[in-house]
PDB file of all heavy atoms in Angstrom:
ATOM      1  N   VAL A 266      42.197   1.207  80.972  1.00 98.00           N
ATOM      2  CA  VAL A 266      43.033   1.486  79.807  1.00 98.00           C
ATOM      3  C   VAL A 266      43.156   3.003  79.668  1.00 98.00           C
ATOM      4  O   VAL A 266      42.456   3.759  80.360  1.00 98.00           O
ATOM      5  CB  VAL A 266      42.419   0.874  78.530  1.00 98.00           C
ATOM      6  CG1 VAL A 266      42.335  -0.636  78.633  1.00 98.00           C
ATOM      7  CG2 VAL A 266      41.029   1.464  78.244  1.00 98.00           C
ATOM      8  N   PRO A 267      44.057   3.483  78.808  1.00 98.00           N
ATOM      9  CA  PRO A 267      44.122   4.930  78.599  1.00 98.00           C
ATOM     10  C   PRO A 267      42.739   5.495  78.263  1.00 98.00           C
ATOM     11  O   PRO A 267      42.060   5.010  77.368  1.00 98.00           O
ATOM     12  CB  PRO A 267      45.089   5.071  77.420  1.00 98.00           C
ATOM     13  CG  PRO A 267      46.011   3.905  77.572  1.00 98.00           C
ATOM     14  CD  PRO A 267      45.128   2.787  78.059  1.00 98.00           C
ATOM     15  N   GLY A 268      42.328   6.496  79.004  1.00 97.00           N
ATOM     16  CA  GLY A 268      41.001   7.081  78.832  1.00 97.00           C
ATOM     17  C   GLY A 268      39.976   6.585  79.826  1.00 97.00           C
ATOM     18  O   GLY A 268      38.864   7.129  79.887  1.00 97.00           O
ATOM     19  N   SER A 269      40.311   5.567  80.621  1.00 98.00           N
ATOM     20  CA  SER A 269      39.361   5.043  81.613  1.00 98.00           C
ATOM     21  C   SER A 269      39.320   5.941  82.841  1.00 98.00           C
ATOM     22  O   SER A 269      40.366   6.382  83.336  1.00 98.00           O
ATOM     23  CB  SER A 269      39.770   3.630  82.053  1.00 98.00           C
ATOM     24  OG  SER A 269      39.676   2.705  81.002  1.00 98.00           O
ATOM     25  N   ALA A 270      38.117   6.179  83.346  1.00 97.00           N
ATOM     26  CA  ALA A 270      37.979   6.896  84.608  1.00 97.00           C
ATOM     27  C   ALA A 270      38.250   5.973  85.788  1.00 97.00           C
ATOM     28  O   ALA A 270      38.764   6.397  86.825  1.00 97.00           O
ATOM     29  CB  ALA A 270      36.575   7.494  84.717  1.00 97.00           C
ATOM     30  N   ARG A 271      37.912   4.692  85.620  1.00 97.00           N
ATOM     31  CA  ARG A 271      38.110   3.701  86.671  1.00 97.00           C
ATOM     32  C   ARG A 271      38.490   2.376  86.021  1.00 97.00           C
ATOM     33  O   ARG A 271      38.235   2.163  84.821  1.00 97.00           O
ATOM     34  CB  ARG A 271      36.813   3.514  87.480  1.00 97.00           C
ATOM     35  CG  ARG A 271      36.266   4.777  88.108  1.00 97.00           C
ATOM     36  CD  ARG A 271      34.928   4.524  88.774  1.00 97.00           C
ATOM     37  NE  ARG A 271      35.044   3.620  89.918  1.00 97.00           N
ATOM     38  CZ  ARG A 271      34.009   3.028  90.492  1.00 97.00           C
ATOM     39  NH1 ARG A 271      32.788   3.201  90.013  1.00 97.00           N
ATOM     40  NH2 ARG A 271      34.188   2.239  91.544  1.00 97.00           N
ATOM     41  N   PRO A 272      39.073   1.462  86.782  1.00 98.00           N
ATOM     42  CA  PRO A 272      39.339   0.131  86.238  1.00 98.00           C
ATOM     43  C   PRO A 272      38.052  -0.534  85.756  1.00 98.00           C
ATOM     44  O   PRO A 272      36.987  -0.354  86.350  1.00 98.00           O
ATOM     45  CB  PRO A 272      39.947  -0.624  87.418  1.00 98.00           C
ATOM     46  CG  PRO A 272      40.493   0.441  88.314  1.00 98.00           C
ATOM     47  CD  PRO A 272      39.579   1.613  88.169  1.00 98.00           C
ATOM     48  N   TRP A 273      38.148  -1.331  84.705  1.00 98.00           N
ATOM     49  CA  TRP A 273      36.970  -2.001  84.178  1.00 98.00           C
ATOM     50  C   TRP A 273      36.331  -2.910  85.226  1.00 98.00           C
ATOM     51  O   TRP A 273      35.113  -3.116  85.216  1.00 98.00           O
ATOM     52  CB  TRP A 273      37.334  -2.828  82.944  1.00 98.00           C
ATOM     53  CG  TRP A 273      37.593  -1.986  81.720  1.00 98.00           C
ATOM     54  CD1 TRP A 273      37.742  -0.635  81.660  1.00 98.00           C
ATOM     55  CD2 TRP A 273      37.712  -2.469  80.377  1.00 98.00           C
ATOM     56  NE1 TRP A 273      37.961  -0.228  80.363  1.00 98.00           N
ATOM     57  CE2 TRP A 273      37.944  -1.341  79.559  1.00 98.00           C
ATOM     58  CE3 TRP A 273      37.674  -3.724  79.788  1.00 98.00           C
ATOM     59  CZ2 TRP A 273      38.130  -1.444  78.177  1.00 98.00           C
ATOM     60  CZ3 TRP A 273      37.851  -3.843  78.422  1.00 98.00           C
ATOM     61  CH2 TRP A 273      38.069  -2.721  77.625  1.00 98.00           C
ATOM     62  N   GLY A 274      37.152  -3.464  86.118  1.00 98.00           N
ATOM     63  CA  GLY A 274      36.616  -4.356  87.123  1.00 98.00           C
ATOM     64  C   GLY A 274      35.905  -3.664  88.264  1.00 98.00           C
ATOM     65  O   GLY A 274      35.271  -4.319  89.099  1.00 98.00           O
ATOM     66  N   ALA A 275      35.990  -2.324  88.312  1.00 98.00           N
ATOM     67  CA  ALA A 275      35.386  -1.581  89.414  1.00 98.00           C
ATOM     68  C   ALA A 275      33.918  -1.267  89.168  1.00 98.00           C
ATOM     69  O   ALA A 275      33.234  -0.750  90.061  1.00 98.00           O
ATOM     70  CB  ALA A 275      36.153  -0.290  89.653  1.00 98.00           C
ATOM     71  N   GLU A 276      33.433  -1.528  87.973  1.00 97.00           N
ATOM     72  CA  GLU A 276      32.035  -1.252  87.640  1.00 97.00           C
ATOM     73  C   GLU A 276      31.591  -2.207  86.549  1.00 97.00           C
ATOM     74  O   GLU A 276      32.399  -2.939  85.971  1.00 97.00           O
ATOM     75  CB  GLU A 276      31.869   0.207  87.201  1.00 97.00           C
ATOM     76  CG  GLU A 276      32.811   0.631  86.093  1.00 97.00           C
ATOM     77  CD  GLU A 276      32.877   2.141  85.930  1.00 97.00           C
ATOM     78  OE1 GLU A 276      32.056   2.836  86.533  1.00 97.00           O
ATOM     79  OE2 GLU A 276      33.752   2.606  85.198  1.00 97.00           O
ATOM     80  N   ARG A 277      30.304  -2.206  86.275  1.00 98.00           N
ATOM     81  CA  ARG A 277      29.785  -3.108  85.244  1.00 98.00           C
ATOM     82  C   ARG A 277      30.492  -2.840  83.921  1.00 98.00           C
ATOM     83  O   ARG A 277      30.560  -1.713  83.449  1.00 98.00           O
ATOM     84  CB  ARG A 277      28.284  -2.905  85.072  1.00 98.00           C
ATOM     85  CG  ARG A 277      27.695  -3.644  83.861  1.00 98.00           C
ATOM     86  CD  ARG A 277      26.220  -3.376  83.667  1.00 98.00           C
ATOM     87  NE  ARG A 277      25.754  -3.858  82.375  1.00 98.00           N
ATOM     88  CZ  ARG A 277      25.752  -3.147  81.254  1.00 98.00           C
ATOM     89  NH1 ARG A 277      26.181  -1.881  81.281  1.00 98.00           N
ATOM     90  NH2 ARG A 277      25.318  -3.662  80.118  1.00 98.00           N
ATOM     91  N   THR A 278      31.016  -3.901  83.328  1.00 98.00           N
ATOM     92  CA  THR A 278      31.665  -3.811  82.021  1.00 98.00           C
ATOM     93  C   THR A 278      31.117  -4.911  81.132  1.00 98.00           C
ATOM     94  O   THR A 278      31.087  -6.085  81.522  1.00 98.00           O
ATOM     95  CB  THR A 278      33.190  -3.950  82.141  1.00 98.00           C
ATOM     96  OG1 THR A 278      33.700  -2.808  82.850  1.00 98.00           O
ATOM     97  CG2 THR A 278      33.848  -4.011  80.774  1.00 98.00           C
ATOM     98  N   ALA A 279      30.692  -4.539  79.950  1.00 98.00           N
ATOM     99  CA  ALA A 279      30.132  -5.484  78.988  1.00 98.00           C
ATOM    100  C   ALA A 279      30.948  -5.449  77.705  1.00 98.00           C
ATOM    101  O   ALA A 279      31.560  -4.424  77.356  1.00 98.00           O
ATOM    102  CB  ALA A 279      28.672  -5.159  78.698  1.00 98.00           C
ATOM    103  N   VAL A 280      30.935  -6.570  76.992  1.00 98.00           N
ATOM    104  CA  VAL A 280      31.650  -6.710  75.728  1.00 98.00           C
ATOM    105  C   VAL A 280      30.668  -7.212  74.676  1.00 98.00           C
ATOM    106  O   VAL A 280      29.922  -8.173  74.920  1.00 98.00           O
ATOM    107  CB  VAL A 280      32.833  -7.695  75.865  1.00 98.00           C
ATOM    108  CG1 VAL A 280      33.556  -7.850  74.529  1.00 98.00           C
ATOM    109  CG2 VAL A 280      33.798  -7.235  76.947  1.00 98.00           C
ATOM    110  N   LEU A 281      30.676  -6.575  73.505  1.00 98.00           N
ATOM    111  CA  LEU A 281      29.851  -7.036  72.400  1.00 98.00           C
ATOM    112  C   LEU A 281      30.526  -8.227  71.733  1.00 98.00           C
ATOM    113  O   LEU A 281      31.731  -8.202  71.460  1.00 98.00           O
ATOM    114  CB  LEU A 281      29.645  -5.911  71.380  1.00 98.00           C
ATOM    115  CG  LEU A 281      28.928  -4.660  71.892  1.00 98.00           C
ATOM    116  CD1 LEU A 281      28.819  -3.615  70.796  1.00 98.00           C
ATOM    117  CD2 LEU A 281      27.539  -5.017  72.427  1.00 98.00           C
ATOM    118  N   CYS A 282      29.748  -9.266  71.458  1.00 98.00           N
ATOM    119  CA  CYS A 282      30.288 -10.524  70.936  1.00 98.00           C
ATOM    120  C   CYS A 282      29.528 -10.926  69.676  1.00 98.00           C
ATOM    121  O   CYS A 282      28.401 -11.429  69.768  1.00 98.00           O
ATOM    122  CB  CYS A 282      30.164 -11.625  71.976  1.00 98.00           C
ATOM    123  SG  CYS A 282      31.040 -11.301  73.525  1.00 98.00           S
ATOM    124  N   PRO A 283      30.101 -10.695  68.496  1.00 98.00           N
ATOM    125  CA  PRO A 283      29.448 -11.184  67.274  1.00 98.00           C
ATOM    126  C   PRO A 283      29.287 -12.704  67.326  1.00 98.00           C
ATOM    127  O   PRO A 283      30.194 -13.428  67.741  1.00 98.00           O
ATOM    128  CB  PRO A 283      30.426 -10.771  66.168  1.00 98.00           C
ATOM    129  CG  PRO A 283      31.161  -9.583  66.736  1.00 98.00           C
ATOM    130  CD  PRO A 283      31.303  -9.907  68.194  1.00 98.00           C
ATOM    131  N   VAL A 284      28.091 -13.183  66.915  1.00 98.00           N
ATOM    132  CA  VAL A 284      27.803 -14.619  66.966  1.00 98.00           C
ATOM    133  C   VAL A 284      27.274 -15.103  65.619  1.00 98.00           C
ATOM    134  O   VAL A 284      26.555 -14.385  64.940  1.00 98.00           O
ATOM    135  CB  VAL A 284      26.779 -14.932  68.078  1.00 98.00           C
ATOM    136  CG1 VAL A 284      27.369 -14.651  69.443  1.00 98.00           C
ATOM    137  CG2 VAL A 284      25.471 -14.155  67.903  1.00 98.00           C
ATOM    138  N   PRO A 285      27.690 -16.344  65.245  1.00 98.00           N
ATOM    139  CA  PRO A 285      28.598 -17.235  65.953  1.00 98.00           C
ATOM    140  C   PRO A 285      29.997 -16.637  66.044  1.00 98.00           C
ATOM    141  O   PRO A 285      30.427 -15.910  65.161  1.00 98.00           O
ATOM    142  CB  PRO A 285      28.596 -18.513  65.102  1.00 98.00           C
ATOM    143  CG  PRO A 285      27.408 -18.418  64.221  1.00 98.00           C
ATOM    144  CD  PRO A 285      27.188 -16.961  63.999  1.00 98.00           C
ATOM    145  N   GLY A 286      30.711 -16.985  67.131  1.00 98.00           N
ATOM    146  CA  GLY A 286      32.022 -16.413  67.342  1.00 98.00           C
ATOM    147  C   GLY A 286      32.984 -17.395  67.971  1.00 98.00           C
ATOM    148  O   GLY A 286      32.724 -18.608  68.026  1.00 98.00           O
ATOM    149  N   TYR A 287      34.098 -16.857  68.463  1.00 98.00           N
ATOM    150  CA  TYR A 287      35.216 -17.662  68.937  1.00 98.00           C
ATOM    151  C   TYR A 287      35.050 -17.980  70.417  1.00 98.00           C
ATOM    152  O   TYR A 287      34.996 -17.072  71.252  1.00 98.00           O
ATOM    153  CB  TYR A 287      36.508 -16.897  68.683  1.00 98.00           C
ATOM    154  CG  TYR A 287      37.791 -17.585  69.069  1.00 98.00           C
ATOM    155  CD1 TYR A 287      37.911 -18.970  69.099  1.00 98.00           C
ATOM    156  CD2 TYR A 287      38.916 -16.835  69.377  1.00 98.00           C
ATOM    157  CE1 TYR A 287      39.103 -19.583  69.443  1.00 98.00           C
ATOM    158  CE2 TYR A 287      40.119 -17.434  69.710  1.00 98.00           C
ATOM    159  CZ  TYR A 287      40.204 -18.808  69.740  1.00 98.00           C
ATOM    160  OH  TYR A 287      41.387 -19.405  70.083  1.00 98.00           O
TER     161      TYR A 287
END
Side-chain angles (χ1 to χ4, degrees):
V266 298
S269 294
R271 303 175 66 194
W273 286 11
E276 53 195 349
R277 171 183 168 270
T278 293
V280 179
L281 299 179
C282 300
V284 294
Y287 182 27

